[in-house]
Amino acid sequence: MQALRGTDPRHIGPYRVLGRLGAGGMGEVYLAEAPGGPRLAVKVVRAEYAEDRTFRARFRQEVGAARSVGGSGSYVARVVDADTEGERPWMATEFIDGPNLRDAVLEHGALPVEPVWVLAAALGEALGAIHAHGLVHRDLKPSNILLAADGPRVIDFGVVRALEATALTRTGTVVGSAGYLSPEQIRTHGRVGPSSDVFSLGAVLAYAAAGRDPFGEGQDAVNLMRVVARDFDLSEVPEAVRPLVEACLREDPAERPTPAEVVEATGYAARSLPGRLRPGWFTAAEPVRGTERWLPERGAGECDSRVEYVAPLTLPDGPAPRTPSRRRLLQGLAAGALVAGAGTGGWLWLRDGGSRGGGTQSGPGAATSTRSTPPPPRPAVVEWAYGTSEIAEDGGPCVGLSPDGRLVCFGGVDGRLHAVTWDGRARWYPDLGDPPLGGGVVGTPVVTRDGAYCLHEFGSRFFALDLKGRVRWKRVFDKDRYGALPVATDFLVILTTSPSADQAAMRAYRPDGSLAWSTRLPDQAADPPVVADSMVYINTSRKLTALAAGDGTRLWTREFDNDFPGRPALVGETLVVPAAQAVYGLSRTGEILWQRANTDLDDPETFVAFGDLAIATCPGRLVAVDPRDGSTAWTVRGPGDLERYSDPTVHDSLAYVFLGHSTLYVVDGSGAQTRRLTFPDDSVMAEYRPVIGPHPRQGLHMYVATSNGIAAVSLTG
């Protein structure tokens, strides 16, 4: 730690500044503490960046994303506080007491082989945690890894994408640390996926094991050329570690191991690793230069760097490979399958042949179906993830798709409507808030051939954008706030308003923004309307109302006495209506055909037509109901987590539904489970309905909500 200078602040937000830790590309770094609280490393943004609106907007997004990562057991330094709106924005992370890896190696030489294995396992766990939240670090290097007594920590969560907005896109420079950037990061000017971090991990492990940079030293331009030309030296890396390093440094991102495969190759697991992490775990057998101390005497400061943060994934990175054992991985490498700079055989051969690790699970899981034995669960293959901010709506569909499936749109709490291509590339993201600050909450849009339609600021504004992200028109309402997501008919977009029970209405807009019709409703509507066969159905308090979609004529209203109806499904000629106490069957004219107290259902909110059945989710299960009498046709039961589930999505002849916080079930019309896809804990938002869309090359994609955006899941294979 360095003494404070006269120009350094003495307080940053609520924290008292104790000293300087260093300086990075984003700004100054200080050691600070709150009264009675822990010590923190606080980064204060440079003045030139603080004045840049683009930087500020991205800084706000990235801080929000970073706060979802880190903490106990993750080997990632946690972001605990931030001020993104101050004159000099700042961000505070937990302070890690220990040297960074570069200082430790410079002071004492290369790590022994066993500490390198431990380092590889812990960093693999750290990258896995980062990638599970839809993020990429982008600047993993020795100075960004602190060696604490209880294990390494990945640090320097600066604002990569914000820095790119100021340096990269304006000057054409590469944002990152030469010698630890991946080839694709150099060639594509920073557009990378998670395997880019794995390349950097390989370079870090080579440095730790050999005591020198694998791509040499010198000017940045020379080192960048060496990375692209694959001109690296691993001659000093011990033979036991070299195969794993070579695998990480493969030129093709698809052929590198995943972080989970790196952990597997070390022979450690998440539970066994902490047993090796005790004070002195990284100590060399005999220090260089004869000193008896491993920790460097100087403070573990921050080396100059132009990048210091995790950033959202922006590129697909191929199917997640299956995990080989450490023994199998190293045998394949030792046999020459993965020589650096060789062809494309080795790692793919390990994926496709022999033992397939996680892909060979067998036996029934926690969920059961009353119709068939469920298939074994399989890890979901995430093609790409796009991180921005938390999705705004509480449940409902996670995205809106253009009719051809090539444009994926979603809103969030950052005030923007985001549009992403089918392969994960950002198309546009206009801020719909008022200048100069912008912001606000944007709901999930409905997308038609004319463009995207979305609500902003809790329904006080309704926006229409074209398919290039330009605002075509908007409607601003001081009193008649919209109360639910918009839905579309063939030619109209329909919304409900909910200012009060005596003024509730439904409105339909044409593509040009003109009002096609407006109809008063008997009460406030909390749910989106249901459009089926030229009719619009809306549930309001104890009533269900049917309107003609073309002109808004109110055709009938059915009152349910002491029951509260939900969103119905039209199955054949019967409207199947969920309610708190029973299931109802109505004719198209609103007459009650039957009423049944179905004990398999627990206050379902929405029925969805599924072939000749109506299906609904309720705590812990998916239930199919016969529209003839309301009896149960079949049930799929989920795991013990009863509070996390989504409404079902029907595509072609299959239904897709989350039951539990991390498992998605795919079910056919007979109730048989065709597949179960598992996700890392808390990586997906199971309350949001998955959306199925066409993939121009791979058949189908499934889109799911994550804690800070969306992810695309492969449905092939």
Side-chain angles (χ1 to χ4, degrees), residues 314-340:
T314 55
L315 289 184
D317 196 39
R322 298 177 173 89
T323 306
S325 66
R326 173 181 174 182
R327 176 183 58 82
R328 180 172 175 76
L329 169 62
L330 297 183
Q331 284 179 346
L333 295 171
L338 285 179
V339 177

PDB file of all heavy atoms in Angstrom, residues 314-340:
ATOM      1  N   THR A 314     -21.014 -12.044 -25.901  1.00  0.00           N
ATOM      2  CA  THR A 314     -21.602 -11.482 -27.104  1.00  0.00           C
ATOM      3  C   THR A 314     -21.521 -12.427 -28.287  1.00  0.00           C
ATOM      4  O   THR A 314     -22.135 -12.173 -29.305  1.00  0.00           O
ATOM      5  CB  THR A 314     -20.898 -10.174 -27.489  1.00  0.00           C
ATOM      6  OG1 THR A 314     -19.498 -10.408 -27.618  1.00  0.00           O
ATOM      7  CG2 THR A 314     -21.115  -9.114 -26.432  1.00  0.00           C
ATOM      8  N   LEU A 315     -20.800 -13.521 -28.154  1.00  0.00           N
ATOM      9  CA  LEU A 315     -20.643 -14.415 -29.287  1.00  0.00           C
ATOM     10  C   LEU A 315     -20.959 -15.841 -28.891  1.00  0.00           C
ATOM     11  O   LEU A 315     -20.667 -16.261 -27.786  1.00  0.00           O
ATOM     12  CB  LEU A 315     -19.196 -14.375 -29.818  1.00  0.00           C
ATOM     13  CG  LEU A 315     -18.765 -13.116 -30.544  1.00  0.00           C
ATOM     14  CD1 LEU A 315     -17.359 -13.294 -31.064  1.00  0.00           C
ATOM     15  CD2 LEU A 315     -19.707 -12.792 -31.673  1.00  0.00           C
ATOM     16  N   PRO A 316     -21.568 -16.639 -29.790  1.00  0.00           N
ATOM     17  CA  PRO A 316     -21.736 -18.057 -29.509  1.00  0.00           C
ATOM     18  C   PRO A 316     -20.377 -18.741 -29.456  1.00  0.00           C
ATOM     19  O   PRO A 316     -19.441 -18.316 -30.111  1.00  0.00           O
ATOM     20  CB  PRO A 316     -22.570 -18.559 -30.695  1.00  0.00           C
ATOM     21  CG  PRO A 316     -22.275 -17.590 -31.783  1.00  0.00           C
ATOM     22  CD  PRO A 316     -22.044 -16.253 -31.112  1.00  0.00           C
ATOM     23  N   ASP A 317     -20.307 -19.797 -28.674  1.00  0.00           N
ATOM     24  CA  ASP A 317     -19.013 -20.440 -28.482  1.00  0.00           C
ATOM     25  C   ASP A 317     -19.087 -21.939 -28.704  1.00  0.00           C
ATOM     26  O   ASP A 317     -18.282 -22.689 -28.214  1.00  0.00           O
ATOM     27  CB  ASP A 317     -18.524 -20.163 -27.052  1.00  0.00           C
ATOM     28  CG  ASP A 317     -17.037 -20.470 -26.917  1.00  0.00           C
ATOM     29  OD1 ASP A 317     -16.291 -20.161 -27.857  1.00  0.00           O
ATOM     30  OD2 ASP A 317     -16.650 -21.026 -25.885  1.00  0.00           O
ATOM     31  N   GLY A 318     -20.076 -22.401 -29.436  1.00  0.00           N
ATOM     32  CA  GLY A 318     -20.180 -23.824 -29.719  1.00  0.00           C
ATOM     33  C   GLY A 318     -20.797 -24.584 -28.580  1.00  0.00           C
ATOM     34  O   GLY A 318     -20.911 -24.103 -27.462  1.00  0.00           O
ATOM     35  N   PRO A 319     -21.271 -25.797 -28.823  1.00  0.00           N
ATOM     36  CA  PRO A 319     -21.878 -26.589 -27.769  1.00  0.00           C
ATOM     37  C   PRO A 319     -20.908 -26.840 -26.630  1.00  0.00           C
ATOM     38  O   PRO A 319     -19.715 -26.988 -26.828  1.00  0.00           O
ATOM     39  CB  PRO A 319     -22.241 -27.906 -28.486  1.00  0.00           C
ATOM     40  CG  PRO A 319     -22.274 -27.558 -29.930  1.00  0.00           C
ATOM     41  CD  PRO A 319     -21.249 -26.473 -30.112  1.00  0.00           C
ATOM     42  N   ALA A 320     -21.441 -26.848 -25.413  1.00  0.00           N
ATOM     43  CA  ALA A 320     -20.594 -27.114 -24.258  1.00  0.00           C
ATOM     44  C   ALA A 320     -20.085 -28.543 -24.321  1.00  0.00           C
ATOM     45  O   ALA A 320     -20.854 -29.491 -24.381  1.00  0.00           O
ATOM     46  CB  ALA A 320     -21.400 -26.916 -22.974  1.00  0.00           C
ATOM     47  N   PRO A 321     -18.763 -28.742 -24.355  1.00  0.00           N
ATOM     48  CA  PRO A 321     -18.233 -30.094 -24.482  1.00  0.00           C
ATOM     49  C   PRO A 321     -18.431 -30.894 -23.215  1.00  0.00           C
ATOM     50  O   PRO A 321     -18.532 -30.356 -22.125  1.00  0.00           O
ATOM     51  CB  PRO A 321     -16.735 -29.855 -24.751  1.00  0.00           C
ATOM     52  CG  PRO A 321     -16.461 -28.515 -24.183  1.00  0.00           C
ATOM     53  CD  PRO A 321     -17.714 -27.720 -24.314  1.00  0.00           C
ATOM     54  N   ARG A 322     -18.475 -32.223 -23.368  1.00  0.00           N
ATOM     55  CA  ARG A 322     -18.623 -33.100 -22.227  1.00  0.00           C
ATOM     56  C   ARG A 322     -17.289 -33.254 -21.522  1.00  0.00           C
ATOM     57  O   ARG A 322     -16.238 -32.995 -22.088  1.00  0.00           O
ATOM     58  CB  ARG A 322     -19.159 -34.459 -22.679  1.00  0.00           C
ATOM     59  CG  ARG A 322     -20.546 -34.347 -23.312  1.00  0.00           C
ATOM     60  CD  ARG A 322     -21.023 -35.694 -23.809  1.00  0.00           C
ATOM     61  NE  ARG A 322     -22.391 -35.627 -24.255  1.00  0.00           N
ATOM     62  CZ  ARG A 322     -22.754 -35.326 -25.482  1.00  0.00           C
ATOM     63  NH1 ARG A 322     -21.841 -35.064 -26.386  1.00  0.00           N
ATOM     64  NH2 ARG A 322     -24.022 -35.285 -25.817  1.00  0.00           N
ATOM     65  N   THR A 323     -17.346 -33.661 -20.284  1.00  0.00           N
ATOM     66  CA  THR A 323     -16.174 -33.596 -19.426  1.00  0.00           C
ATOM     67  C   THR A 323     -15.415 -34.908 -19.394  1.00  0.00           C
ATOM     68  O   THR A 323     -15.909 -35.898 -18.864  1.00  0.00           O
ATOM     69  CB  THR A 323     -16.615 -33.248 -17.997  1.00  0.00           C
ATOM     70  OG1 THR A 323     -17.392 -32.060 -18.040  1.00  0.00           O
ATOM     71  CG2 THR A 323     -15.425 -33.061 -17.097  1.00  0.00           C
ATOM     72  N   PRO A 324     -14.179 -34.974 -19.933  1.00  0.00           N
ATOM     73  CA  PRO A 324     -13.351 -36.163 -19.774  1.00  0.00           C
ATOM     74  C   PRO A 324     -12.667 -36.131 -18.425  1.00  0.00           C
ATOM     75  O   PRO A 324     -12.518 -35.073 -17.818  1.00  0.00           O
ATOM     76  CB  PRO A 324     -12.331 -36.031 -20.910  1.00  0.00           C
ATOM     77  CG  PRO A 324     -12.181 -34.558 -21.076  1.00  0.00           C
ATOM     78  CD  PRO A 324     -13.527 -33.944 -20.758  1.00  0.00           C
ATOM     79  N   SER A 325     -12.235 -37.273 -17.955  1.00  0.00           N
ATOM     80  CA  SER A 325     -11.489 -37.312 -16.708  1.00  0.00           C
ATOM     81  C   SER A 325     -10.103 -36.729 -16.921  1.00  0.00           C
ATOM     82  O   SER A 325      -9.629 -36.589 -18.047  1.00  0.00           O
ATOM     83  CB  SER A 325     -11.344 -38.755 -16.227  1.00  0.00           C
ATOM     84  OG  SER A 325     -10.530 -39.483 -17.129  1.00  0.00           O
ATOM     85  N   ARG A 326      -9.425 -36.388 -15.814  1.00  0.00           N
ATOM     86  CA  ARG A 326      -8.064 -35.874 -15.924  1.00  0.00           C
ATOM     87  C   ARG A 326      -7.159 -36.913 -16.578  1.00  0.00           C
ATOM     88  O   ARG A 326      -6.338 -36.596 -17.433  1.00  0.00           O
ATOM     89  CB  ARG A 326      -7.545 -35.519 -14.526  1.00  0.00           C
ATOM     90  CG  ARG A 326      -6.076 -35.143 -14.502  1.00  0.00           C
ATOM     91  CD  ARG A 326      -5.636 -34.831 -13.090  1.00  0.00           C
ATOM     92  NE  ARG A 326      -4.207 -34.593 -13.019  1.00  0.00           N
ATOM     93  CZ  ARG A 326      -3.544 -34.344 -11.905  1.00  0.00           C
ATOM     94  NH1 ARG A 326      -4.184 -34.297 -10.763  1.00  0.00           N
ATOM     95  NH2 ARG A 326      -2.248 -34.143 -11.924  1.00  0.00           N
ATOM     96  N   ARG A 327      -7.335 -38.185 -16.178  1.00  0.00           N
ATOM     97  CA  ARG A 327      -6.478 -39.223 -16.738  1.00  0.00           C
ATOM     98  C   ARG A 327      -6.704 -39.343 -18.236  1.00  0.00           C
ATOM     99  O   ARG A 327      -5.750 -39.377 -19.016  1.00  0.00           O
ATOM    100  CB  ARG A 327      -6.788 -40.573 -16.061  1.00  0.00           C
ATOM    101  CG  ARG A 327      -5.997 -41.735 -16.644  1.00  0.00           C
ATOM    102  CD  ARG A 327      -6.401 -43.036 -15.972  1.00  0.00           C
ATOM    103  NE  ARG A 327      -7.827 -43.286 -16.114  1.00  0.00           N
ATOM    104  CZ  ARG A 327      -8.360 -43.833 -17.226  1.00  0.00           C
ATOM    105  NH1 ARG A 327      -7.591 -44.142 -18.244  1.00  0.00           N
ATOM    106  NH2 ARG A 327      -9.651 -44.038 -17.307  1.00  0.00           N
ATOM    107  N   ARG A 328      -7.953 -39.335 -18.672  1.00  0.00           N
ATOM    108  CA  ARG A 328      -8.229 -39.478 -20.105  1.00  0.00           C
ATOM    109  C   ARG A 328      -7.728 -38.267 -20.884  1.00  0.00           C
ATOM    110  O   ARG A 328      -7.167 -38.401 -21.967  1.00  0.00           O
ATOM    111  CB  ARG A 328      -9.734 -39.659 -20.325  1.00  0.00           C
ATOM    112  CG  ARG A 328     -10.097 -39.815 -21.797  1.00  0.00           C
ATOM    113  CD  ARG A 328     -11.560 -40.196 -21.944  1.00  0.00           C
ATOM    114  NE  ARG A 328     -11.934 -40.224 -23.333  1.00  0.00           N
ATOM    115  CZ  ARG A 328     -11.616 -41.181 -24.186  1.00  0.00           C
ATOM    116  NH1 ARG A 328     -10.886 -42.190 -23.788  1.00  0.00           N
ATOM    117  NH2 ARG A 328     -12.001 -41.128 -25.448  1.00  0.00           N
ATOM    118  N   LEU A 329      -7.934 -37.076 -20.324  1.00  0.00           N
ATOM    119  CA  LEU A 329      -7.459 -35.870 -20.992  1.00  0.00           C
ATOM    120  C   LEU A 329      -5.951 -35.909 -21.181  1.00  0.00           C
ATOM    121  O   LEU A 329      -5.433 -35.694 -22.274  1.00  0.00           O
ATOM    122  CB  LEU A 329      -7.851 -34.640 -20.162  1.00  0.00           C
ATOM    123  CG  LEU A 329      -7.220 -33.312 -20.578  1.00  0.00           C
ATOM    124  CD1 LEU A 329      -7.645 -32.948 -21.986  1.00  0.00           C
ATOM    125  CD2 LEU A 329      -7.600 -32.222 -19.595  1.00  0.00           C
ATOM    126  N   LEU A 330      -5.224 -36.226 -20.114  1.00  0.00           N
ATOM    127  CA  LEU A 330      -3.771 -36.184 -20.198  1.00  0.00           C
ATOM    128  C   LEU A 330      -3.232 -37.311 -21.060  1.00  0.00           C
ATOM    129  O   LEU A 330      -2.232 -37.146 -21.746  1.00  0.00           O
ATOM    130  CB  LEU A 330      -3.174 -36.247 -18.791  1.00  0.00           C
ATOM    131  CG  LEU A 330      -3.558 -35.044 -17.899  1.00  0.00           C
ATOM    132  CD1 LEU A 330      -2.861 -35.160 -16.557  1.00  0.00           C
ATOM    133  CD2 LEU A 330      -3.202 -33.737 -18.573  1.00  0.00           C
ATOM    134  N   GLN A 331      -3.883 -38.467 -21.056  1.00  0.00           N
ATOM    135  CA  GLN A 331      -3.437 -39.549 -21.940  1.00  0.00           C
ATOM    136  C   GLN A 331      -3.576 -39.138 -23.399  1.00  0.00           C
ATOM    137  O   GLN A 331      -2.685 -39.358 -24.221  1.00  0.00           O
ATOM    138  CB  GLN A 331      -4.257 -40.816 -21.676  1.00  0.00           C
ATOM    139  CG  GLN A 331      -3.850 -41.553 -20.408  1.00  0.00           C
ATOM    140  CD  GLN A 331      -4.702 -42.769 -20.178  1.00  0.00           C
ATOM    141  OE1 GLN A 331      -5.753 -42.945 -20.799  1.00  0.00           O
ATOM    142  NE2 GLN A 331      -4.277 -43.621 -19.271  1.00  0.00           N
ATOM    143  N   GLY A 332      -4.723 -38.519 -23.708  1.00  0.00           N
ATOM    144  CA  GLY A 332      -4.919 -38.090 -25.086  1.00  0.00           C
ATOM    145  C   GLY A 332      -3.912 -37.045 -25.499  1.00  0.00           C
ATOM    146  O   GLY A 332      -3.377 -37.057 -26.605  1.00  0.00           O
ATOM    147  N   LEU A 333      -3.607 -36.112 -24.583  1.00  0.00           N
ATOM    148  CA  LEU A 333      -2.645 -35.076 -24.901  1.00  0.00           C
ATOM    149  C   LEU A 333      -1.246 -35.649 -25.045  1.00  0.00           C
ATOM    150  O   LEU A 333      -0.491 -35.295 -25.942  1.00  0.00           O
ATOM    151  CB  LEU A 333      -2.670 -34.009 -23.810  1.00  0.00           C
ATOM    152  CG  LEU A 333      -3.984 -33.218 -23.702  1.00  0.00           C
ATOM    153  CD1 LEU A 333      -3.956 -32.355 -22.457  1.00  0.00           C
ATOM    154  CD2 LEU A 333      -4.192 -32.372 -24.929  1.00  0.00           C
ATOM    155  N   ALA A 334      -0.867 -36.537 -24.124  1.00  0.00           N
ATOM    156  CA  ALA A 334       0.474 -37.108 -24.164  1.00  0.00           C
ATOM    157  C   ALA A 334       0.692 -37.925 -25.420  1.00  0.00           C
ATOM    158  O   ALA A 334       1.810 -38.076 -25.897  1.00  0.00           O
ATOM    159  CB  ALA A 334       0.703 -37.981 -22.929  1.00  0.00           C
ATOM    160  N   ALA A 335      -0.378 -38.465 -25.971  1.00  0.00           N
ATOM    161  CA  ALA A 335      -0.270 -39.259 -27.193  1.00  0.00           C
ATOM    162  C   ALA A 335      -0.123 -38.395 -28.432  1.00  0.00           C
ATOM    163  O   ALA A 335      -0.049 -38.903 -29.539  1.00  0.00           O
ATOM    164  CB  ALA A 335      -1.505 -40.150 -27.344  1.00  0.00           C
ATOM    165  N   GLY A 336      -0.114 -37.072 -28.231  1.00  0.00           N
ATOM    166  CA  GLY A 336       0.111 -36.181 -29.372  1.00  0.00           C
ATOM    167  C   GLY A 336      -1.157 -35.695 -30.015  1.00  0.00           C
ATOM    168  O   GLY A 336      -1.116 -35.099 -31.079  1.00  0.00           O
ATOM    169  N   ALA A 337      -2.310 -35.938 -29.356  1.00  0.00           N
ATOM    170  CA  ALA A 337      -3.560 -35.527 -29.976  1.00  0.00           C
ATOM    171  C   ALA A 337      -3.738 -34.022 -29.970  1.00  0.00           C
ATOM    172  O   ALA A 337      -4.441 -33.476 -30.794  1.00  0.00           O
ATOM    173  CB  ALA A 337      -4.742 -36.184 -29.252  1.00  0.00           C
ATOM    174  N   LEU A 338      -3.096 -33.332 -29.012  1.00  0.00           N
ATOM    175  CA  LEU A 338      -3.331 -31.907 -28.886  1.00  0.00           C
ATOM    176  C   LEU A 338      -2.025 -31.128 -28.880  1.00  0.00           C
ATOM    177  O   LEU A 338      -1.738 -30.376 -27.970  1.00  0.00           O
ATOM    178  CB  LEU A 338      -4.111 -31.618 -27.600  1.00  0.00           C
ATOM    179  CG  LEU A 338      -5.594 -31.970 -27.657  1.00  0.00           C
ATOM    180  CD1 LEU A 338      -6.236 -31.662 -26.326  1.00  0.00           C
ATOM    181  CD2 LEU A 338      -6.286 -31.210 -28.752  1.00  0.00           C
ATOM    182  N   VAL A 339      -1.201 -31.306 -29.871  1.00  0.00           N
ATOM    183  CA  VAL A 339       0.024 -30.515 -29.988  1.00  0.00           C
ATOM    184  C   VAL A 339      -0.351 -29.109 -30.423  1.00  0.00           C
ATOM    185  O   VAL A 339      -1.184 -28.917 -31.294  1.00  0.00           O
ATOM    186  CB  VAL A 339       0.978 -31.160 -31.018  1.00  0.00           C
ATOM    187  CG1 VAL A 339       2.216 -30.313 -31.188  1.00  0.00           C
ATOM    188  CG2 VAL A 339       1.335 -32.569 -30.578  1.00  0.00           C
ATOM    189  N   ALA A 340       0.245 -28.103 -29.787  1.00  0.00           N
ATOM    190  CA  ALA A 340      -0.095 -26.716 -30.111  1.00  0.00           C
ATOM    191  C   ALA A 340       0.123 -26.464 -31.587  1.00  0.00           C
ATOM    192  O   ALA A 340       1.159 -26.806 -32.149  1.00  0.00           O
ATOM    193  CB  ALA A 340       0.760 -25.763 -29.276  1.00  0.00           C
TER     194      ALA A 340
END
